[in-house]
């Protein structure tokens, strides 16, 4: 039944789980409602929700919405489904709307809707006065934020800084995680970051990361900026034991590459084996034997690409070819059968991000070709594997070159990177919400901002609680 939880079914699953005392299923269903509240509020089932259940959702800190105005609109739609019966409960429900988190422009809609609702069946209703009092005289304190604590933690691993003096740069050994997501006034959002641990051995950037069976894996990368500073070492981190373990080295030195989990095996794909020399090799890690073996190579040497897995297929987009030209290619890679080319992207790009969400592949950021140089690529596009076609979506508000990315709770996160045109750091986090088709600013990163890597990992709650708050 967990697999069947969706916007139209989650409330039915929650009712079933509550009726039969299935606490874990009930928690999962209610959590789905909270993290997809706006989508759920547009369904027919939402209109039948009992008032006491609705107020429970509204008052929960973990309610995930684009803005507090979305909460108000959901309440109004619920009332208008049966105004004669529900108008008397409007005042109680409005207590779940955190009016101080609205902007003045959003609050004008509250007044307009209130004027429309002032009289239903000779029953006078006056919501605006109490809402105005709360909006105008309550301060948006920490307690008034919507604070979402995802079950999966978004991890940031390693990374680099941008300073004119290469000798003064200090690559990072740190691992951070997003403990909670905060929604404040209007569109103001940020992330509470906590430091998880530090990697053993040397710092890393342009490395590979993956999560498998509750552990974090870190591969290769660079620890400095000269020819011999590329690594092939591999480590795993067990959050339950708070400990690192050295694993078998990869067979190739690799940086500016990625690792993907495919059919219970990890694959290290292409990358640079030394400065300005990339490779076509792919190798597979067997965790049972702690060993690496080469599999079918790529059609050409490739680095700075983006890769993700959808429905068991490994999709690879863009990147640098052997002459370090940005590509438009998209292909499906198989470790035994090799490459099948798909429809080209509309824009060439490398050092970009690609993430799978709802059966589609979202591509954002990176650099593109500009005569003999590179420039920022802010155009974004989404790939439909069924139609083998690309469609544009909202461009990034700022450049994100060599950024990290992840999908957390049905939203695409682009983290850090830099601006190619002026080589300035882009230490911001932007989040794309497919339901609103817009990018949201989620605040700044806690440490190094470029050539970092990200993944999701379930962390023990007691361990999250003791980690240092930043």
């Amino acid at each position: 039944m967990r697999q069947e939880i969706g916007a139209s079914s989650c409330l039915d699953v929650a009712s079933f789980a509550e009726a039969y005392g299935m606490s874990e299923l009930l928690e999962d269903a209610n959590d789905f409602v909270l993290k997809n509240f706006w989508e759920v509020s547009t369904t027919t089932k939402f209109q039948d929700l009992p008032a006491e259940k609705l107020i429970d959702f509204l008052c929960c800190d973990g309610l995930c919405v684009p803005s507090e105005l979305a909460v108000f609109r959901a309440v109004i739609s619920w009332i208008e489904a049966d105004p004669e019966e529900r108008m008397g409960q409007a005042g109680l429900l409005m207590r779940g709307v955190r009016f101080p988190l609205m902007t003045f422009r959003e609050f004008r809609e509250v007044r307009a809707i209130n004027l429309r609702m002032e009289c239903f069946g000779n029953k006078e209703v006056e919501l605006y006065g109490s809402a105005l009092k709360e909006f105008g005289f309550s301060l948006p304190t920490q307690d008034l934020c919507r604070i979402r604590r995802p079950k999966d933690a978004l991890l940031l691993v390693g990374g680099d800084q941008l300073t004119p003096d290469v000798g003064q740069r200090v690559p990072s050994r740190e691992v951070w995680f997003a403990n909670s997501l905060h929604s404040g006034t209007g569109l103001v959002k940020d992330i509470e970051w906590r430091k998880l641990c530090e990697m053993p051995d040397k710092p890393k950037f342009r490395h590979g990361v993956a999560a498998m069976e509750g552990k974090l894996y870190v591969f290769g990368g660079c620890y400095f900026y000269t020819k011999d500073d590329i690594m092939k070492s591999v480590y795993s981190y067990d959050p339950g034991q708070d400990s690192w373990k050295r694993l078998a080295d990869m067979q190739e030195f690799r940086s500016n590459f990625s690792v993907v989990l495919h059919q219970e095996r990890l694959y290290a794909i292409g990358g640079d084996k030394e400065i300005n020399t990339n490779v076509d090799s792919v190798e597979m890690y067997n965790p049972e034997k702690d060993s690496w073996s080469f599999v079918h190579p790529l059609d050409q040497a490739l680095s700075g690409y983006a890769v993700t897995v959808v429905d068991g297929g490994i999709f690879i987009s863009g990147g640098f070819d052997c002459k370090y030209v940005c590509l438009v290619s998209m292909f499906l890679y198989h470790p035994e059968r090799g490459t099948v080319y798909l429809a080209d992207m509309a824009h060439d790009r490398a050092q970009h991000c690609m993430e799978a969400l709802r059966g589609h592949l979202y591509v954002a950021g990176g650099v593109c070709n500009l005569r003999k140089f590179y420039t920022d690529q802010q155009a974004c596009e989404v790939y439909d594997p069924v139609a083998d076609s690309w469609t544009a979506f909202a461009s990034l508000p700022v450049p994100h070159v060599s950024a990290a990315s992840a999908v957390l709770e049905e939203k695409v996160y682009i983290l850090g990177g830099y601006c190619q045109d002026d080589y300035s750091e882009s230490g911001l986090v932007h989040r794309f919400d497919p339901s609103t088709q817009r990018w949201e600013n989620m605040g700044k990163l806690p440490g190094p901002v470029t050539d970092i890597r990200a993944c999701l990992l379930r962390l023990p709650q007691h361990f999250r609680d003791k980690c240092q708050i930043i």
Side-chain angles (χ1 to χ4, degrees):
M1 291 190 70
R2 284 189 178 91
Q3 296 177 351
E4 299 300 320
I5 294 177
S8 299
S9 63
C10 56
L11 295 173
D12 283 338
V13 173
S15 297
F16 177 87
E18 186 174 19
Y20 288 92
M22 304 171 70
S23 58
E24 291 186 4
L25 180 61
L26 177 60
E27 181 182 349
D28 287 342
N30 285 338
D31 192 64
F32 183 92
V33 175
L34 291 172
K35 71 184 181 183
N36 299 279
F37 182 78
W38 180 238
E39 187 177 359
V40 173
S41 71
T42 64
T43 65
T44 303
K45 294 293 183 182
F46 179 81
Q47 306 302 331
D48 297 330
L49 194 65
E52 60 273 15
K53 295 291 184 183
L54 177 55
I55 193 65
D56 285 344
F57 288 128
L58 297 177
C59 292
C60 181
D61 277 349
L63 189 70
C64 208
V65 287
S67 72
E68 207 63 22
L69 182 60
V71 182
F72 176 76
R73 288 172 174 170
V75 173
I76 293 301
S77 71
W78 184 87
I79 294 171
E80 290 184 333
D82 188 1
E84 289 293 329
E85 291 293 327
R86 297 177 175 180
M87 191 58 64
Q89 299 167 309
L92 176 64
L93 290 169
M94 287 301 169
R95 294 177 188 173
V97 182
R98 302 181 184 183
F99 292 102
L101 300 183
M102 290 186 180
T103 64
F104 283 97
R105 177 177 294 182
E106 289 171 337
F107 195 73
R108 284 201 295 268
E109 182 172 326
V110 174
R111 176 171 173 76
I113 291 177
N114 181 77
L115 292 173
R116 191 181 78 215
M117 297 182 66
E118 278 187 346
C119 185
F120 272 102
N122 296 322
K123 293 182 179 180
E124 292 189 2
V125 177
E126 216 301 304
L127 303 175
Y128 184 71
S130 58
L132 178 62
K133 182 179 180 180
E134 185 180 352
F135 175 76
F137 299 101
S138 297
L139 296 176
T141 64
Q142 179 76 8
D143 293 338
L144 289 172
C145 290
R146 297 284 185 182
I147 303 174
R148 176 77 184 162
R149 294 182 175 88
K151 292 184 177 181
D152 290 319
L154 172 59
L155 267 60
L156 293 180
V157 184
D160 192 15
Q161 298 170 321
L162 291 181
T163 61
D165 185 353
V166 173
Q168 295 298 315
R169 295 185 190 177
V170 182
S172 176
R173 295 174 54 220
E174 297 174 333
V175 181
W176 300 82
F177 72 96
N179 186 55
S180 59
L181 313 175
H182 297 184
S183 296
T185 306
L187 299 179
V188 176
K189 303 178 187 298
D190 61 16
I191 298 174
E192 180 201 273
W193 293 101
R194 297 191 180 192
K195 186 175 177 180
L196 180 63
C197 59
E198 289 193 354
M199 293 179 285
D201 199 11
K202 298 172 181 176
K204 290 178 182 287
F205 61 98
R206 294 195 171 187
H207 48 298
V209 300
M212 181 173 65
E213 296 183 349
K215 295 181 180 179
L216 169 69
Y217 290 77
V218 184
F219 312 80
C222 303
Y223 65 88
F224 206 61
Y225 311 95
T226 62
K227 179 180 179 180
D228 298 324
D229 295 335
I230 294 177
M231 299 176 283
K232 59 180 180 180
S233 58
V234 180
Y235 291 87
S236 68
Y237 174 72
D238 184 344
Q241 302 296 322
D242 188 20
S243 63
W244 289 89
K245 181 181 179 180
R246 178 74 182 258
L247 305 176
D249 287 355
M250 295 182 292
Q251 300 188 62
E252 293 263 29
F253 292 92
R254 298 181 192 272
S255 75
N256 206 12
F257 74 113
S258 294
V259 177
V260 293
L261 174 62
H262 175 65
Q263 296 180 353
E264 300 181 351
R265 296 290 186 268
L266 295 167
Y267 292 86
I269 302 171
D272 296 320
K273 68 176 182 180
E274 57 184 63
I275 302 299
N276 295 328
T277 304
N278 52 20
V279 297
D280 63 358
S281 66
V282 181
E283 49 187 306
M284 178 189 72
Y285 178 69
N286 184 334
E288 297 166 358
K289 298 181 179 180
D290 186 28
S291 64
W292 291 89
S293 58
F294 286 111
V295 293
H296 202 294
L298 302 173
D299 278 7
Q300 61 177 320
L302 198 63
S303 62
Y305 56 85
V307 60
T308 193
V309 176
V310 177
D311 296 331
I314 300 174
F315 291 81
I316 299 176
S317 64
F320 296 120
D321 65 11
C322 61
K323 296 181 179 179
Y324 287 81
V325 174
C326 300
L327 302 174
V328 296
S329 60
M330 175 70 154
F331 60 88
L332 184 62
Y333 169 78
H334 192 279
E336 297 176 358
R337 299 189 294 270
T339 300
V340 175
Y341 281 90
L342 306 170
D344 287 345
M345 295 183 289
H347 304 279
D348 57 287
R349 64 179 82 229
Q351 306 288 67
H352 58 294
C353 301
M354 179 169 68
E355 294 292 340
L357 178 59
R358 299 179 182 177
H360 289 68
L361 300 176
Y362 288 80
V363 173
V367 295
C368 57
N369 303 310
L370 179 65
R371 296 182 293 278
K372 295 182 179 180
F373 306 97
Y374 303 120
T375 191
D376 295 304
Q377 178 60 275
Q378 291 179 238
C380 300
E381 46 194 314
V382 57
Y383 177 72
D384 181 348
V386 175
D388 187 26
S389 62
W390 293 89
T391 305
F393 69 97
S395 295
L396 282 167
V398 299
H400 284 273
V401 181
S402 291
S405 64
V407 170
L408 179 63
E409 297 195 330
E410 301 290 295
K411 296 178 179 63
V412 178
Y413 285 73
I414 307 295
L415 306 108
Y418 67 93
C419 171
Q420 178 69 31
D421 288 350
D422 62 11
Y423 213 57
S424 62
E425 292 183 335
S426 177
L428 297 174
V429 179
H430 282 98
R431 180 176 75 179
F432 182 74
D433 185 345
S435 63
T436 62
Q437 287 292 302
R438 72 184 184 198
W439 290 98
E440 301 170 307
N441 186 336
M442 299 296 295
K444 294 184 178 181
L445 293 175
V449 301
T450 186
D451 289 316
I452 54 177
R453 296 295 184 261
C455 69
L456 300 183
L457 191 67
R458 187 68 57 90
L459 299 177
Q461 188 58 51
H462 72 276
F463 189 67
R464 294 177 66 156
D465 292 340
K466 75 176 183 179
C467 287
Q468 177 185 358
I469 300 176
I470 299 298

